[in-house]
């Protein structure tokens, strides 16, 4: 993935992976998109706190999921 992909496209892809039950995490997603893990964490925080997405982290599956479909 190109480094200069806007936040919008990262958010779309994060949402798609979460909806598909892939349990993305900051490390794997940041490697794929070639951004810092902190950038991905900010994206997740944006989804959670600004857009009120019901996102939680599953420690067993080591990734994020929606608590409500």
């Amino acid at each position: 993935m190109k480094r200069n992909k806007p936040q919008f496209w990262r958010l779309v892809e994060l949402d798609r992976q979460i909806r598909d039950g892939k349990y993305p995490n900051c490390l794997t997603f940041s490697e794929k998109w070639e951004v810092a893990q902190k950038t991905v964490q900010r994206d997740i925080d944006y989804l959670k706190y600004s857009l009120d997405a019901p996102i939680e982290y599953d420690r067993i599956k080591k990734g994020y999921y929606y608590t409500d479909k």
Side-chain angles (χ1 to χ4, degrees):
M1 295 283 158
K2 286 187 174 182
R3 180 176 288 252
N4 62 356
K5 291 281 188 179
Q7 180 188 31
F8 173 78
W9 294 112
R10 289 193 313 269
L11 295 174
V12 168
E13 181 62 15
L14 268 172
D15 176 68
R16 187 188 65 74
Q17 286 189 19
I18 293 170
R19 287 178 189 269
D20 289 349
K22 294 185 178 177
Y23 290 84
N25 62 46
C26 292
L27 175 63
T28 57
F29 198 84
S30 68
E31 288 172 349
K32 180 179 178 185
W33 280 78
E34 298 176 344
V35 296
Q37 289 182 50
K38 185 65 177 172
T39 299
V40 178
Q41 185 59 57
R42 286 186 197 108
D43 290 345
I44 291 167
D45 289 345
Y46 180 78
L47 287 170
K48 187 171 185 174
Y49 299 114
S50 296
L51 301 179
D52 292 323
I55 296 176
E56 294 296 329
Y57 185 80
D58 187 311
R59 290 180 188 222
I60 295 171
K61 294 185 178 181
K62 297 181 182 176
Y64 290 92
Y65 68 99
Y66 287 135
T67 59
D68 185 16
K69 295 189 182 228

